[in-house]
Amino acid sequence: MATTPSTVDNLDPGVLILVQTNITDNTTEIRTAKLQYKLNTSETFTNVTLNYVASTLLWNASFNASLAGRYNLRLWAEDLVGNGNFSDEVNLSVEFD
């Protein structure tokens, strides 16, 4: 999972963050994928549908990191057979410099 912007200097509150990732399945295709994000002080994740971009072979989505703090990001994907799984969480610090 990669984010743009990716440097602490550019990850400020109110910045739109692009998430790009490669999602694969051993036996079939991916049917749907979601980015889930939340502030680490929150209990509830927000879901954003990831879009597949054939020209890059990556899935992407954007979200607005409206508040300062540490964000927890994870991915959820489901294949054509209905098997779903979560990625490991990635932490992203968003703060004014």
Side-chain angles (χ1 to χ4, degrees):
M1 182 183 325
T3 61
T4 304
S6 59
T7 62
V8 175
D9 289 342
N10 295 322
L11 287 168
D12 295 327
V15 168
L16 189 67
I17 297 174
L18 171 66
V19 176
Q20 294 182 301
T21 189
N22 180 31
I23 303 173
T24 59
D25 187 277
N26 294 5
T27 58
T28 187
E29 295 178 31
I30 302 299
R31 175 193 327 243
T32 188
K34 303 223 183 264
L35 164 68
Q36 296 187 316
Y37 71 93
K38 70 178 184 81
L39 277 170
N40 69 332
T41 56
S42 175
E43 294 186 21
T44 306
F45 280 93
T46 299
N47 291 320
V48 178
T49 300
L50 288 151
N51 297 303
Y52 182 69
V53 180
S55 62
T56 64
L57 305 177
L58 297 175
W59 294 76
N60 66 36
S62 297
F63 73 97
N64 187 333
S66 56
L67 301 172
R70 186 172 11 165
Y71 284 80
N72 305 128
L73 311 177
R74 68 182 184 187
L75 305 172
W76 176 84
E78 181 181 82
D79 65 18
L80 293 176
V81 182
N83 298 314
N85 205 355
F86 289 98
S87 71
D88 292 333
E89 282 189 13
V90 172
N91 296 314
L92 191 67
S93 292
V94 174
E95 55 190 47
F96 288 114
D97 305 322

